[in-house]
Amino acid sequence: MVYVKPSRREDFEIVIICGLPLEFNAVSLLLDEYWDEDGDHFGRSPGDVNHYITGRIGRYNVVLALLSHIGKVHTASAAASIRSSYGSVRLALLVGICGGAPQAANGEEDEILLGDVIISRTVIQYDFGRLYPDRFIRKDTLEDNLGKANKDIRNLLITFETDIGLERLQRRTAYFLKQLQANATGRKRQGRYSYPGTAEDKLFKSLYRHKHHVPCTCVCRDCNSISNPVCDEALSLSCEELGCDNLYLEHRGQLDAKRQLEQDKSDKAQEPTIHMGSIASGDIVMKSAEDRDRIAKKEGVIAFEMEGAGIWEELPCIVIKGICDYADCHKNKRWQNFAAATAASTLKAVLERYIQTDKNRNEDLDPLERDSITQGASWYDSEVRGEDVTQGNELRVSSPQSSRHCIVQEGSYFGGVIKVAGSVVQGNRMSI
Ligand SMILES: [Zn+2]
Ligand SMILES: [Zn+2]
Ligand SMILES: [Zn+2]
């Protein structure tokens, strides 16, 4: 199958957004083709400061955008810029890492482990509301909250709510994770995206503090309850340096199962579980197990992140995030690259299942104004894609040379394959 490079920004309908360079790096390893290898052809709108690369994943042309700042206000304005540069975007996928809320699980089957992936059913802006001296009241009337996903997105997500849909998604995610790891090895980044191992997946009991457990003279010595402070030094040290004790780890059955796979040297040990659920989005970096559990219970969320709310307001969006920590005081960066890789792999698996609903015919432009597709090269039986390619369209080929063969279209659907019979040569223009 040969794919034609898009000729302009309007040809891109899918944008993948990352908040961090490490997330961007992981996604970029799963592009099947880059459209800007020899320089950028597409430009951007005035005022747009996002960094973009363009390419293809499967049958979709994608723009990969890296945000320059985090936080909701910056993210929303970056999303607005994406919309102004890429006005035809129909689906935004926010892909990267997040903190998990492991206690939200209903029993062992739902346990959330590091490296697992969350797909957003909804995004909840948990820090939006009024803070009173004794309590915080979240604004949760319909208009204050984020709206629900559009029909395209709801149709896609519903397939992952079924057992077979979820199984397929997990199987393909595992496949793409290996592909990403192999691509990384090929680019001399071997090991960066390896599974860190079950021994590194530590969920401490909620009340167990990240503080000096080794003998010391700081305030940590008197820290016996959740309201007591720990010393500043402890905030920047690792669990190993502080002596956080594995005796206080929560026991989790899913982790035991993975440990067995590890002992059997099975590469299934690294395969993430995908969880569908609500994601809490806010400007606060969650580093407290107590707050995490309280908010998870109250809002019914299974993960915490910081860009979702800003994107969700501006673009039709799905959030796909790999769990890199448990949003508690013990958190560290060890799982970030792996979690970014599992999220990127799920993104690619999700795109395989994405079927766009045909655009409303009445919204279409005058047929003569429809997309014309410039083919940079020529092929028989080539795949051509463009806006508004629907069943029954006719394909005409115009040529600077004298009249060429007649073109017969054997079938087409939106974003699909149009078979072109005849001699299509370099320099031909095709219009639909
Ligand atoms: Zn100390
Ligand atoms: Zn201390
Ligand atoms: Zn610790």
Coordinates of all heavy atoms in Angstrom, one line a residue, residues 211-212 216 218-221 230-234 242, ligand 2:
K211 N 9.6 9.8 54.3 CA 10.3 10.7 55.2 C 11.6 9.9 55.6 O 11.7 8.7 55.3 CB 9.5 11.0 56.4 CG 9.0 9.8 57.2 CD 8.6 10.2 58.6 CE 8.6 8.9 59.5 NZ 8.5 9.2 60.9
H212 N 12.4 10.5 56.4 CA 13.6 9.8 56.9 C 13.1 8.7 57.9 O 12.6 9.0 59.0 CB 14.5 10.8 57.7 CG 15.3 11.6 56.8 ND1 15.1 13.0 56.6 CD2 16.5 11.3 56.1 CE1 16.0 13.4 55.7 NE2 16.8 12.5 55.4
C216 N 17.7 9.9 62.4 CA 18.0 11.3 61.9 C 17.6 12.3 63.0 O 17.0 11.9 64.0 CB 17.3 11.6 60.7 SG 15.5 11.7 60.9
C218 N 16.2 15.4 62.1 CA 15.3 16.4 61.5 C 13.8 16.2 62.0 O 13.6 15.3 62.8 CB 15.3 16.3 60.0 SG 14.8 14.6 59.4
V219 N 12.9 17.0 61.5 CA 11.5 16.9 62.0 C 10.9 15.5 61.6 O 9.8 15.1 62.2 CB 10.6 18.0 61.4 CG1 11.0 19.3 61.9 CG2 10.6 18.0 59.9
C220 N 11.5 14.8 60.7 CA 10.9 13.5 60.3 C 10.8 12.6 61.5 O 9.9 11.7 61.6 CB 11.8 12.8 59.3 SG 11.8 13.6 57.7
R221 N 11.7 12.8 62.5 CA 11.7 11.9 63.7 C 10.4 12.0 64.5 O 9.9 11.1 65.1 CB 12.9 12.4 64.6 CG 13.3 11.4 65.6 CD 14.5 12.0 66.4 NE 14.3 13.4 66.9 CZ 15.1 14.1 67.6 NH1 16.3 13.6 67.9 NH2 14.8 15.3 67.9
V230 N 7.3 16.7 57.2 CA 8.5 16.0 57.0 C 9.6 17.1 56.6 O 9.2 18.2 56.3 CB 8.5 14.9 55.9 CG1 7.4 13.9 56.2 CG2 8.3 15.6 54.5
C231 N 10.9 16.8 56.7 CA 11.9 17.8 56.4 C 11.9 18.0 54.9 O 11.5 17.2 54.1 CB 13.2 17.4 57.0 SG 14.1 16.1 56.0
D232 N 12.4 19.2 54.6 CA 12.5 19.6 53.1 C 13.4 18.6 52.4 O 13.2 18.3 51.2 CB 13.1 21.0 53.0 CG 12.0 22.1 53.4 OD1 10.8 21.7 53.5 OD2 12.4 23.2 53.6
E233 N 14.5 18.2 53.0 CA 15.4 17.3 52.4 C 14.7 16.0 51.9 O 15.0 15.5 50.8 CB 16.6 17.0 53.4 CG 17.8 16.3 52.7 CD 18.7 15.7 53.7 OE1 18.4 15.7 54.9 OE2 19.7 15.1 53.3
A234 N 13.8 15.5 52.7 CA 13.2 14.3 52.4 C 12.4 14.3 51.1 O 12.2 13.4 50.4 CB 12.2 13.8 53.5
L242 N 15.9 7.3 51.9 CA 15.2 7.6 53.2 C 14.9 6.3 54.0 O 14.6 6.4 55.2 CB 13.8 8.2 52.9 CG 13.9 9.6 52.2 CD1 12.5 10.1 51.9 CD2 14.6 10.6 53.2
Ligands
ZN2 ZN 13.8 14.2 57.4

